[in-house]
Amino acid sequence: MALFGRGAAALERVTYRDSRAAGALHTGVLAVLGALGLAADRVGTRRGPAGRAAATAAAVFVALGGTSLSRTGTVMADHLRAGDLDAARRVLPSLCGRDPAVLDSSGLTRAAVESVAENTSDAQVAPLWWAAVGGVPAVLVYRGANTLDAMIGNRSPRYVRFGWAAARFDDVINYVPARVTAVLVAVCAPLVGGSPVAALRAWRRDAGRHPSPNAGVVEAAFAGALGVRLGGPTQYAHQLEIRPTLGEGPSPRVHDLARAVRLSRAVQVAAAVIACAVTAAGRNGRRACPRC
């Protein structure tokens, strides 16, 4: 995705205008380029099931970020547990775009928990979902859209209009995966001493108040599963946002961050198992119906 990011930055120097129309053009061009993954998919198809599986596996490997997410969350928890706030602040940009300089231990912990929750969907479940339902092209288009949203889909003065289309496109393609993630969070909650009922209740009650139609779903489910309260004032580099609270209970502490990482890992494993089962079922269906 680094190559895609460099390409998107180069294209932006040509397409940028402070308007939604220019942003829509920019997003559309990059989406079409991402769809060229169809060529890889066709190559895999001509080489038979093994070639198709190899092409899909390679695309998923490029798209997945779950392992680095869990590792970074664990490193953050270790720094906070040791009281090394400077080290924790240096790690935070690897998880989210908040301003670490203004955050104390509690703020760093909450930011990390919320980022682990949101990225469990964005970096792990969503790529697996799109791989299962659409193969190589779907994974590549998804990952490109997700990268583009991270680059320009924010509300900074430069991107509030130009990045609008990228943000909306990201919302659309993450809609189903975010809800699949929330269901898996509820299912896996007992593995970290949490409650499936509390996860589902927080999702139903609180998610709609979040400014993101997808991040709110996942963060609320995590909050309910962990028995903590997320949300509140959130300082980004470009502005301060007052987020609604999600879940009930105290603010998360360091051991809650460690639980969030374990919950994220459990959800990742469950999502991988389901994706493999769906892919295998689809392959068997094509064999049973050669004309399909």
Side-chain angles (χ1 to χ4, degrees), residues 53-73:
T56 302
V60 171
F61 178 79
V62 170
L64 288 180
T67 301
S68 60
L69 171 66
S70 299
R71 183 168 55 247
T72 304

Side-chain angles (χ1 to χ4, degrees), residues 76 79-80 84-94 98-105 108:
M76 173 68 82
H79 288 321
L80 291 169
D84 191 346
L85 298 189
D86 288 337
R89 290 186 179 108
R90 289 193 294 270
V91 171
L92 188 65
S94 299
R98 302 183 194 185
D99 183 359
V102 302
L103 297 177
D104 58 10
S105 178
L108 289 166

Side-chain angles (χ1 to χ4, degrees), residues 57-206:
V60 171
F61 178 79
V62 170
L64 288 180
T67 301
S68 60
L69 171 66
S70 299
R71 183 168 55 247
T72 304
T74 299
V75 170
M76 173 68 82
D78 290 343
H79 288 321
L80 291 169
R81 193 177 292 113
D84 191 346
L85 298 189
D86 288 337
R89 290 186 179 108
R90 289 193 294 270
V91 171
L92 188 65
S94 299
L95 287 171
C96 62
R98 302 183 194 185
D99 183 359
V102 302
L103 297 177
D104 58 10
S105 178
S106 178
L108 289 166
T109 302
R110 176 171 74 85
V113 171
E114 292 173 357
S115 298
V116 166
E118 181 177 0
N119 285 296
T120 297
S121 177
D122 288 355
Q124 183 74 18
V125 177
L128 287 168
W129 165 266
W130 286 111
V133 303
V136 171
V139 173
L140 296 181
V141 170
Y142 169 76
R143 193 58 180 139
N146 194 245
T147 301
L148 188 61
D149 179 61
M151 294 176 66
I152 67 172
N154 58 65
R155 294 183 175 275
S156 66
R158 176 177 174 84
Y159 293 127
V160 66
R161 284 178 288 273
F162 184 76
W164 178 87
R168 298 294 76 76
F169 184 39
D170 187 73
D171 287 344
V172 170
I173 61 176
N174 275 295
Y175 187 88
V176 173
R179 284 144 186 84
V180 171
T181 304
V183 170
L184 293 178
V185 167
V187 170
C188 296
L191 297 177
V192 295
S195 165
V197 173
L200 295 173
R201 182 168 57 240
W203 171 11
R204 184 180 66 250
R205 183 190 62 224
D206 300 334

